[in-house]
Structure formats: C-alpha cells, structure tokens
Amino acid sequence: MKSLWLSTTPQHIMTSQRKLLKHFVKIPLTERRVELKSGEYINMVDTWNGQGSAPSKTLVLTHGYGSGLGFWFRNIDALTKEGGGKYDRVIAVDWLGMGASSRPSNTKLPLRRNCGKTSDPQEFIQFFVSSLEEGLGNIGLQKFHLLGHSFGGYIGAHYALQHPNQIEKLILASAVGIPAPSEGYLQRSEMKTQYKLIDSLWKANFTPQSILRFMGPRGKRIAQNIVRGRFQNRWNDEETNLISEYLYHITCETPSGEYALNALLEPRIYPAGVSRTGVYARIPLYPKLVDPTIYKTKTQLLFGDTDWMYHPQMKELVDERSIHDNHMELAIISSAGHHLYLDNTTEFHARINSSE
C-alpha cells in the first residue's frame, strides 16, 4: 500500500542523494554505510577514499531536523583544502533514523509515536549521541571538528559534553536548544485558538513530515513549492528539481528519528514583552555551555541576521564565557536566515575557514 501512495524507498533516497551531490560537489566522495552493533547503520559520505594515511584535520557535518546530509551540497567543496578551505577531510553524516541511515522501528522506545509521553529527553539524546559515536569510531575517527546545523548542533553539543576529548572544535550553525526558557509563558487556557492548535499537535507528536506523507502523489509538487518558496529562484529548474526530489524522499520514507521532536523540544508562548516565543529544549544547553568547569570545547556560534533561532541569550553566553576564557565566539552572517549555510555561503565559509 505504501508504494501505491508514496513512491519512495531507501533506494530512492540513495539515488536522489547521489544525483544531488554529483551535480554540486566536485570533489570525489566515498559513500559509507557504517554498520552498528544493533544491526542498524549510519549513512555517510566522505572526501577521503581510505587510501594512504588518514588526513589530520577532519570536519564532521551533522544536518538539522527534517534534513539530510545531501543539504550540505554547497559546503563540502568550500570547506576542504582542495576547495580553498582548511580541512583535509570532510565527512557528512545522516543521523540514525533520518536521511538514508536505517530507520529503527517506531514501535520501540525511544522512537514511539507518543514518545513525548513515554520517553525522557536524555534517552533520545543518548540515542543519537551513542549511535554517532559508534559510527565514527567504526571508521577509525578519534579527533575531529564538528559542524552541526539546528538539531544537529544541539545533539553535537551534547556529544561534546560527553566526549570532550574527541571534538577539538564545535561549530553550531543556528543551533536549536541553547537558551533556557524563562517563566511567564502562557498556559493552555490563556492561549489564542491558533496556539492551542499548535500545542495540541505538538503534544500528539504530529510531525511536519506527516503532512507530506498525507499528501501522497501530490507530495513531490509540494516539496518543489517548499524549496522554491524558501530559496526563491536561487537555482535553475534542474537544480531545484534535484533538491526537491531529495527532500521528498528523505521526508516521506518510514518515520523514525523524526519522533524526537516532542521528546526533545517544546513550544513556549509568551505575552508580548515578557520573553521570546519559540521552541525551547526540554534540556537547554545554556546552563552547561556557560559553565567552564563543565564545558571546555572551543565553540563557534553562527546565526543569520534574520535567523528566527537567534536569541539574546547567545550574546549573554559568549559574554559570560569571555570572563573565564576565549573558548566561545559568536558571529552573525549577513543576508541569511536559519539556513545560513545555503543563504550566504561565501560569508559562512569564510567565517569557518578563518576561525582558529
């Protein structure tokens, strides 16, 4: 029945990933299907083919929620030394349960559909951190820099907290989950109707991917409209089709890791003037990142100048850490929003490649 309503399979994801990266990335890439002891696997692409001695300076790329490693198509070349960057090796990774990585059954914890009611956030954090740690270990990677976007930055920071000797530098690109929510948010009885609807859908763990699946055969056209609506006419029709085809397949494949949404994050609606309405982590990073006795990894925070994820606590975090050390820096990318790695690639790459 699925094949009649949704024309996607794991093979479709890999095919669309190959087509997308082949078109945009000039450096040869090695595909890696890294087996885990659980029987699951993690999908990676690697600029090193495994021949000769291992490169010394490696960057690991981790994508955001609802995305996949293919969306680094504009960044892989520019971050490598061959493309003018500073890294000898770049590895892009699909989180377990997302992209072209295997998708553990959503009938098991912590991936159950109603995980927000049955799982503790730390259980989900561990699900992603442990699988990434095992996958990178299985390809022999011991020390590296990590660049994580949005959700990928949030989990990446928890990785750095758990494995500080592995991550030499952390780059958080519009990372979700840093600020700690303040008191004074609206209770459900105080919310307007539209916010009550959002609250209900969130508590039911209704994911954005569910909408595209529900649309069936019309989903491909909707994926195209999403890409064109967000990025306007940035790419020609052929390129837009490559991107939207990839987006469609990673979105409509069997749900799995996407059910982390409710377990890890929650919306907070504030009255005007009290605080900023948005999505906050159930376990916010700020209290840990600000403490030099807990968090010691050198970190670069990057946000777009129109980035809805930016919060005033970002500057407070950097200012507070500067009292103790120079381990934290903040940069704002001009003419960029949440997808700053695609919105202003020139400045985004320059910030990363010029930073110590």
Side-chain angles (χ1 to χ4, degrees):
M1 288 298 294
K2 174 189 170 184
S3 62
L4 296 176
W5 187 249
L6 297 172
S7 55
T8 188
T9 64
Q11 291 72 31
H12 282 105
I13 297 178
M14 285 303 299
T15 299
S16 62
Q17 174 189 296
R18 289 183 189 121
K19 289 163 61 178
L20 176 63
L21 295 179
K22 182 179 180 180
H23 180 85
F24 284 99
V25 180
K26 306 309 176 188
I27 294 175
L29 295 174
T30 298
E31 293 177 357
R32 301 193 186 281
R33 172 174 160 148
V34 183
E35 302 291 337
L36 305 178
K37 60 186 177 184
S38 64
E40 306 295 342
Y41 61 88
I42 289 183
N43 177 52
M44 305 181 187
V45 295
D46 191 341
T47 61
W48 182 50
N49 63 9
Q51 301 298 312
S53 58
S56 59
K57 198 164 192 176
T58 298
L59 176 66
V60 174
L61 305 175
T62 58
H63 63 80
Y65 181 84
S67 186
L69 66 78
F71 275 98
W72 296 108
F73 63 87
R74 290 290 306 277
N75 315 112
I76 294 173
D77 281 338
L79 294 171
T80 61
K81 285 184 177 178
E82 293 95 324
K86 68 178 183 180
Y87 292 99
D88 302 303
R89 179 186 188 184
V90 173
I91 303 169
V93 179
D94 275 332
W95 291 108
L96 183 60
M98 300 182 185
S101 290
S102 63
R103 302 201 174 202
S105 171
N106 60 21
T107 63
K108 301 176 182 178
L109 288 175
L111 294 174
R112 286 175 56 174
R113 175 72 165 76
N114 62 340
C115 64
K117 299 177 182 178
T118 60
S119 290
D120 124 22
Q122 191 59 49
E123 187 178 12
F124 246 116
I125 290 168
Q126 206 57 47
F127 171 83
F128 291 111
V129 170
S130 295
S131 56
L132 179 61
E133 193 272 338
E134 183 183 352
L136 295 177
N138 287 351
I139 63 170
L141 197 60
Q142 300 298 322
K143 291 185 179 293
F144 52 93
H145 291 197
L146 190 148
L147 164 56
H149 174 247
S150 195
F151 166 86
Y154 178 73
I155 301 298
H158 281 285
Y159 192 112
L161 285 162
Q162 294 185 31
H163 305 286
N165 294 327
Q166 292 185 26
I167 298 188
E168 297 172 307
K169 183 172 182 179
L170 180 66
I171 306 165
L172 300 178
S174 190
V176 70
I178 296 178
S182 61
E183 297 298 324
Y185 56 85
L186 297 178
Q187 300 301 312
R188 182 177 174 82
S189 60
E190 303 172 299
M191 295 179 187
K192 294 181 179 180
T193 302
Q194 63 267 35
Y195 290 135
K196 286 182 179 178
L197 177 60
I198 293 172
D199 183 63
S200 296
L201 292 173
W202 198 278
K203 287 178 178 176
N205 212 6
F206 185 86
T207 65
Q209 293 90 326
S210 302
I211 300 173
L212 209 59
R213 291 191 194 100
F214 177 77
M215 300 308 294
R218 291 175 291 177
K220 289 187 177 182
R221 179 55 60 87
I222 293 172
Q224 288 180 340
N225 292 339
I226 291 171
V227 173
R228 288 195 174 97
R230 173 58 180 81
F231 298 105
Q232 304 303 316
N233 297 315
R234 191 165 306 175
W235 303 287
N236 62 38
D237 287 345
E238 178 191 2
E239 292 169 336
T240 298
N241 288 338
L242 287 171
I243 298 164
S244 59
E245 180 184 7
Y246 175 70
L247 175 62
Y248 170 79
H249 288 301
I250 63 172
T251 300
C252 290
E253 185 45 46
T254 304
S256 179
E258 69 192 64
Y259 290 140
L261 187 67
N262 188 352
L264 296 178
L265 306 172
E266 57 185 340
R268 284 285 179 255
I269 314 299
Y270 289 93
V274 174
S275 187
R276 183 167 181 173
T277 292
V279 177
Y280 292 83
R282 297 184 189 274
I283 302 179
L285 288 167
Y286 187 100
K288 295 179 180 179
L289 300 190
V290 78
D291 188 342
T293 67
I294 296 176
Y295 185 76
K296 304 179 186 295
T297 304
K298 194 162 187 178
T299 301
Q300 183 180 33
L301 302 172
L302 301 175
F303 290 90
D305 59 357
T306 59
D307 196 334
W308 71 273
M309 197 65 73
Y310 181 80
H311 191 283
Q313 284 187 32
M314 307 305 172
K315 186 175 185 306
E316 295 172 17
L317 170 62
V318 175
D319 290 345
E320 180 66 24
R321 278 303 297 254
S322 68
I323 298 173
H324 306 282
D325 53 47
N326 63 348
H327 283 14
M328 197 87 58
E329 65 172 299
L330 170 66
I332 304 299
I333 307 298
S334 64
S335 303
H338 182 53
H339 294 281
L340 64 171
Y341 60 101
L342 289 174
D343 289 335
N344 186 343
T345 54
T346 300
E347 189 173 339
F348 180 76
H349 297 146
R351 288 288 187 177
I352 294 172
N353 289 325
S354 64
S355 179
E356 294 296 328

